[in-house]
Amino acid sequence: MTVPHEPLHTQQETLDPTDWVAFRARAHAMVDAAIDKMASTTEGRVWHEPPASLKASFNASLPMQGHGGDATQTMLTGLLPYGVGNTHPRFFGWVHGGGTPGNLIADIAAAAINANLGGRDHGAMYVEKQVNQWCRALFEFPETASGLVVSGTSIATIIALKTARDQCLEFASRSEGLAGAKLTGYTSTQTHSCVARAFDILGLGTHALRKIPVNGSFEIDTKALEVAIAADQAAGFTPFVIVGTAGAVNVGAIDDLEALADIAASRGLWFHVDGAFGALGVLSPRLKPRLSGIKRADSLAFDFHKWLHVNYDAGFVLMRSEAAHRKAFSERPDYLKGAERGLAAGNPWPVEYGPELSRGFRSLKIWTQLNEHGIDKLGEMVTRNCEQASYLAERVQEAPVTELLAPVAMNICCFRYVVPDYGVGQLNALNEEIVVQLQLKGIAAPSTTLLKGCTAIRVNITNHRTQFSDLDILLDAIIEIGAELAPQFA
Ligand SMILES: *Cc1c(COP(=O)(O)O)cnc(C)c1O
């Protein structure tokens, strides 16, 4: 028995509150403010431009002395109205998810646990394993497949393509680099820029990614693909990967994934699918048949923060060959050695499947979303967004002043306001301005893109809050603003 003795040191200060009652009240006030924001998100303006005073308040000098919890909380609360607008039902820009109130609770729980998911044996790791298992089931990958929760499709793509690169070079590239290998990859002109960026980061160079033309539906031309691969082989290059897209960012086109899987299989190439938002189309009976090729992919990158409405950020990379995945990343120095028992158990660790060691508890948001709402309901939201895009396309085609610019493959509708006798330059400028006005007026927030030289008003619907009436509001506003602005562009 040790004898209680006088402490050697007096109690030292920590970063914890001295008054937990006051802290509890402050935390509850923030929870209330956050719920108020979420409960009222369907009302009012889509986007509030951050005021000059707010911008200026973030030019403060480095706080040598803390301002304390209350002053900090005032600043936090002041930030709440100035989101990008993606929680609003009429946010249609780029591809953003709307998030859910349930994820607010998950984030509080995750912050309380404050887990590091680089590895080791603790509760959070089992949540992550569950998410991995659900992803395999969702995309009909084998039980032996591996995966990693990441921040988004951009990093998921880097992880997948590094594995493809290393496998092609028999993993010597991990120590020797490319050593003169002339690797080439193939994708369509519609592919997201993160694929070229991955080629850059992986030392392959963006020119090694061959951009294959698309057909009238913006899907990769598979004949041109085969010609390009053969030409590169004849010229001494080493083709190693085909990247197909399930839901291309411009118009939502889905490549013929089965055909790409066949071509990759017949030539021994890695088949990667960028399914950032579109892969979740497998939840919808309407889209599922067109996505059957995903289950033949060697790797798939997709986001939970887009069409599954998980609050930012959460993406995933799914890999058919666990062995290749681990061989491309595993590097466990002595201080990270695993064990059979104790805290260092639970092997293999996520650190063996990606570039990061410390990793936050993103998987809790994902688990919460799937667990709370279930696949059936999340799938209904996907289907409804597609029906809404088709509905908008019908209205666009009916109206004499609007013109559809691309077929609607899933949830994206691209069109423009037209004025008879206006040239393409005038129409492009007019449509750019219509979109800016919609955003500034707070009515709706579509974005723009360029399709065959024409500026399109691009309406992406990955939003569980969007109602059909929101699309009426959008189109009516476009027609009104278009008529008002048209004379300025004459
Ligand atoms: C959003 C998107 C990406 C990039 O995903 P992040 O999560 O933003 O990194 C890649 N491809 C497509 C088709 C996308 O829509």
Side-chain angles (χ1 to χ4, degrees), residues 252-400:
I254 306 169
D255 286 335
D256 185 343
L257 302 174
E258 291 281 1
L260 295 184
D262 288 341
I263 295 169
S266 69
R267 294 170 187 268
L269 308 189
W270 186 282
F271 177 38
H272 173 73
V273 175
D274 177 348
F277 65 95
L280 276 315
V282 298
L283 302 190
S284 163
R286 175 182 163 133
L287 293 175
K288 191 169 182 186
R290 296 213 49 207
L291 299 167
S292 60
I294 290 179
K295 59 175 177 293
R296 297 175 59 195
D298 292 297
S299 54
L300 169 71
F302 69 95
D303 284 323
F304 287 102
H305 56 219
K306 288 176 174 168
W307 229 352
L308 274 192
H309 321 291
V310 168
N311 292 34
Y312 281 87
D313 48 17
F316 199 83
V317 60
L318 187 58
M319 209 80 81
R320 176 167 308 278
S321 167
E322 186 274 341
H325 190 183
R326 184 147 45 89
K327 268 167 119 173
F329 287 97
S330 187
E331 184 64 72
R332 297 266 296 263
D334 294 341
Y335 52 84
L336 292 176
K337 210 159 72 67
E340 288 299 314
R341 296 176 304 125
L343 196 44
N347 287 286
W349 292 3
V351 63
E352 294 174 79
Y353 298 102
E356 295 175 319
L357 175 53
S358 296
R359 301 171 61 249
F361 199 3
R362 294 187 180 98
S363 46
L364 191 60
K365 295 183 292 192
I366 302 166
W367 179 88
T368 302
Q369 194 85 316
L370 294 174
N371 215 44
E372 180 175 347
H373 298 295
I375 287 299
D376 288 347
K377 188 158 161 199
L378 291 164
E380 282 166 26
M381 304 287 152
V382 169
T383 301
R384 190 173 70 204
N385 285 163
C386 295
E387 287 166 354
Q388 289 169 330
S390 297
Y391 169 74
L392 178 60
E394 277 166 34
R395 279 215 54 192
V396 162
Q397 283 172 303
E398 278 164 23

Side-chain angles (χ1 to χ4, degrees), residues 55 73 93 100 167 170 175 237 270 351 354 409 421 441 452:
K55 294 179 191 171
Q73 177 121 334
T100 59
Q167 166 148 303
E170 292 170 345
S175 50
F237 290 97
W270 186 282
V351 63
D421 305 329
K441 288 176 195 280
K452 298 180 182 145

